[in-house]
């Protein structure tokens, strides 16, 4: 990257560092995010060690267990539940996560209904890594396009250098991993700036309909902090009855909108890795007062919706299961290695100049000082 900057001086070196460091933070946090759940489980085993038994208790039992010692007038309202995926033998992949409006979360074993622990939501390693990985958002609307342009320019420049020289087996492998960075950068840009993705699909003649929200005045019945008359389990069953989760789609998130008095149940793909439904998603809106289904949004209603859902599983490697996550990790590590080599080169180029300035001084007397010393 330093070769395409204006000159080898201090301004060029400083610009290279300023461009490399944010990308290094984004890349490192991204590699760790691929394995964030596993890392969190190692750091907090008490919150993730489920019994491993098959079967599941009612969602209402999960809610009751997750409440714990939250009592009295300051009782926090349950905002949403993250539902684990289940294997074919009926065993859950992890605990239920219940997130409350007071910024805390509970972990519940779905097979036994046991409360495993509670913590502040922001203390999770995933939430902390997401803040680092979303660094471009701090630059406003131009953040993701700007960082994305720098990312693509640096990666393309490095690939040009690799292919210009006589390639070896190692350089070809390194180049292959860097090539994987291009779809990662593109999907990251689309996730960070979803309007850009909708614009691109629209230019291609593919319509993308937004995830619908309840808008009819007759549907809105605010709860004003009161407990909903329809239970979480009843809302989940109503979503199933409405046709949500057809085929390989299973519920992964159920949330309660207090302002509108509705539940929203998001169904996601549960099939084999690489399935065409790997990015499919349905959102069923259910009344928290009458249990009536109010709206169903599906990513499978149009080609544009289906394509708009692809960036998420591609960016994290989940589309190809464990193999995809490993590939994303290796691609991220190759980009980190490229950045580290660049920063090392900047340091090596800067060190002799800095030593000369210390020994001989800087400015007009620098050359005369070298001549007097015989250099």
């Amino acid at each position: 990257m330093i070769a395409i900057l204006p000159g080898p001086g201090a301004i060029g070196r400083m610009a290279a560092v300023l461009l490399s460091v944010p990308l290094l933070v984004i890349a490192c946090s991204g590699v760790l995010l691929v394995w964030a759940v596993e890392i969190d489980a190692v750091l907090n085993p008490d919150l993730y060690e489920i019994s491993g038994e098959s079967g599941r208790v009612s969602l209402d039992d999960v809610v009751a267990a997750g409440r714990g010692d939250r009592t009295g007038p300051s009782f926090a309202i349950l905002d949403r539940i993250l539902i684990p995926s289940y294997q074919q033998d009926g065993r859950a992949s992890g605990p239920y996560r219940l997130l409350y409006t007071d910024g805390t979360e509970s972990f519940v074993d779905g097979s036994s209904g046991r409360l495993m622990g509670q913590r502040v939501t922001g203390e999770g390693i995933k939430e902390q890594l997401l803040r680092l990985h979303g660094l471009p958002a701090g630059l406003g609307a131009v953040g993701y396009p700007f960082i994305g342009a720098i990312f693509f320019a640096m990666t393309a420049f490095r690939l040009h250098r690799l292919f210009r020289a006589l390639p070896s087996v190692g350089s070809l492998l390194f180049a292959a991993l860097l090539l994987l960075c291009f779809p990662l950068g593109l999907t990251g840009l689309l996730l960070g700036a979803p309007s850009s993705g909708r614009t691109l699909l629209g230019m291609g003649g593919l319509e993308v309909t937004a995830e619908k929200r309840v808008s009819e005045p007759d549907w809105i019945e605010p709860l004003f902090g009161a407990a909903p008359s329809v239970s979480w389990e009843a809302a989940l069953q109503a979503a199933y009855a409405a046709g949500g989760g057809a085929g390989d789609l299973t519920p992964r998130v159920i949330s309660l909108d207090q302002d509108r008095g509705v539940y929203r149940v998001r169904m996601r793909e549960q099939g084999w890795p690489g399935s065409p439904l790997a990015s499919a998603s349905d959102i069923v809106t259910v009344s928290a007062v009458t249990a009536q289904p109010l709206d169903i949004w599906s990513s499978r209603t149009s080609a544009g919706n289906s394509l708009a859902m692809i960036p998420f599983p591609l960016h994290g490697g989940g589309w190809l299961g464990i193999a995809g996550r490993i590939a994303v990790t290796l691609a991220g590590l190759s980009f980190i290695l490229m950045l580290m080599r660049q920063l090392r080169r900047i340091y090596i180029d800067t060190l002799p100049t800095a030593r000369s300035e210390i020994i001989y001084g800087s400015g007009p007397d620098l050359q005369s000082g070298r001549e007097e010393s015989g250099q």
Side-chain angles (χ1 to χ4, degrees), residues 14-179:
M14 183 177 297
V17 172
L18 291 177
L19 294 176
S20 299
V21 172
L23 286 173
L24 188 61
V25 173
I26 295 172
C28 290
S29 59
V31 168
L32 294 176
L33 270 172
V34 175
W35 310 97
V37 174
E38 288 79 2
I39 296 173
D40 199 16
V42 172
L43 297 177
N44 304 281
D46 295 341
L47 300 179
Y48 286 88
E49 289 182 355
I50 59 177
S51 61
E53 300 176 359
S54 59
R56 69 183 79 179
V57 299
S58 167
L59 195 59
D60 293 336
D61 294 333
V62 172
V63 172
R67 185 177 299 116
D69 57 359
R70 296 182 176 89
T71 57
S74 61
F75 170 70
I77 300 173
L78 178 58
D79 181 61
R80 66 184 184 275
I81 303 174
L82 307 184
I83 304 173
S85 60
Y86 277 82
Q87 303 173 4
Q88 293 184 351
D89 59 2
R91 297 184 180 184
S93 60
Y96 284 77
R97 290 182 61 186
L98 289 71
L99 288 82
Y100 295 83
T101 54
D102 63 350
T104 61
E105 61 180 336
S106 297
F107 291 74
V108 178
D109 187 341
S111 60
S112 63
R114 176 177 60 91
L115 176 63
M116 304 170 64
Q118 300 171 335
R119 72 178 180 189
V120 177
T121 304
E123 292 179 351
I125 185 67
K126 183 175 183 179
E127 288 72 21
Q128 299 179 40
L129 289 172
L130 281 173
R131 284 193 288 269
L132 293 174
H133 200 59
L135 185 64
L139 299 177
V142 299
Y144 280 96
F146 175 73
I147 295 295
I150 299 301
F151 167 81
F152 288 123
M154 294 179 68
T155 307
F157 176 75
R158 182 58 183 169
L159 286 171
H160 171 71
R161 292 280 299 273
L162 286 173
F163 287 118
R164 188 178 63 180
L166 184 62
S168 61
V169 176
S171 63
L172 288 176
L173 178 60
F174 187 60
L177 292 174
L178 282 181
L179 283 173

Side-chain angles (χ1 to χ4, degrees), residues 10-371:
I11 296 180
R13 291 192 294 269
M14 183 177 297
V17 172
L18 291 177
L19 294 176
S20 299
V21 172
L23 286 173
L24 188 61
V25 173
I26 295 172
C28 290
S29 59
V31 168
L32 294 176
L33 270 172
V34 175
W35 310 97
V37 174
E38 288 79 2
I39 296 173
D40 199 16
V42 172
L43 297 177
N44 304 281
D46 295 341
L47 300 179
Y48 286 88
E49 289 182 355
I50 59 177
S51 61
E53 300 176 359
S54 59
R56 69 183 79 179
V57 299
S58 167
L59 195 59
D60 293 336
D61 294 333
V62 172
V63 172
R67 185 177 299 116
D69 57 359
R70 296 182 176 89
T71 57
S74 61
F75 170 70
I77 300 173
L78 178 58
D79 181 61
R80 66 184 184 275
I81 303 174
L82 307 184
I83 304 173
S85 60
Y86 277 82
Q87 303 173 4
Q88 293 184 351
D89 59 2
R91 297 184 180 184
S93 60
Y96 284 77
R97 290 182 61 186
L98 289 71
L99 288 82
Y100 295 83
T101 54
D102 63 350
T104 61
E105 61 180 336
S106 297
F107 291 74
V108 178
D109 187 341
S111 60
S112 63
R114 176 177 60 91
L115 176 63
M116 304 170 64
Q118 300 171 335
R119 72 178 180 189
V120 177
T121 304
E123 292 179 351
I125 185 67
K126 183 175 183 179
E127 288 72 21
Q128 299 179 40
L129 289 172
L130 281 173
R131 284 193 288 269
L132 293 174
H133 200 59
L135 185 64
L139 299 177
V142 299
Y144 280 96
F146 175 73
I147 295 295
I150 299 301
F151 167 81
F152 288 123
M154 294 179 68
T155 307
F157 176 75
R158 182 58 183 169
L159 286 171
H160 171 71
R161 292 280 299 273
L162 286 173
F163 287 118
R164 188 178 63 180
L166 184 62
S168 61
V169 176
S171 63
L172 288 176
L173 178 60
F174 187 60
L177 292 174
L178 282 181
L179 283 173
L180 287 178
C181 292
F182 280 97
L184 292 181
L186 180 59
T187 52
L189 177 61
L190 295 178
L191 289 172
S195 59
S196 301
R198 289 193 293 267
T199 301
L200 291 175
L201 291 174
M203 293 172 62
L206 299 175
E207 181 184 2
V208 181
T209 59
E211 296 179 358
K212 293 182 180 180
R213 297 291 182 261
V214 178
S215 58
E216 295 292 335
D218 295 340
W219 291 356
I220 300 177
E221 299 185 50
L223 299 177
F224 300 112
S229 55
V230 176
S231 68
W232 291 79
E233 179 68 25
L236 185 62
Q237 296 303 322
Y240 267 119
D248 289 330
L249 299 185
T250 58
R252 298 307 305 273
V253 181
I254 177 171
S255 60
L256 175 62
D257 187 336
Q258 282 273 333
D259 295 333
R260 298 182 181 275
V262 296
Y263 287 99
R264 291 193 179 90
V265 184
R266 179 183 288 272
M267 311 281 190
R268 295 196 71 89
E269 188 268 343
Q270 176 79 359
W272 45 273
S275 165
L277 292 177
S279 58
S281 176
D282 285 0
I283 299 177
V284 184
T285 303
V286 178
S287 171
V289 178
T290 65
Q292 288 294 114
L294 303 177
D295 181 63
I296 299 178
W297 179 91
S298 177
S299 65
R300 297 166 292 171
T301 55
S302 69
N305 284 347
S306 297
L307 290 175
M309 296 299 297
I310 288 179
F312 179 75
L314 272 182
H315 194 66
W319 202 353
L320 295 177
I322 189 68
R325 296 169 68 189
I326 292 175
V328 169
T329 301
L330 293 177
L333 291 176
S334 67
F335 185 74
I336 292 172
L337 177 60
M338 183 192 75
L339 291 176
M340 294 298 293
R341 292 178 64 179
Q342 173 173 295
L343 292 173
R344 178 177 177 271
R345 189 181 306 113
I346 294 173
Y347 173 77
I348 292 175
D349 292 343
T350 304
L351 185 59
T353 303
R355 291 182 59 187
S356 298
E357 292 177 356
I358 292 174
I359 296 174
Y360 304 114
S362 59
D365 297 331
L366 177 59
Q367 185 63 31
S368 60
R370 290 180 174 173
E371 293 175 353

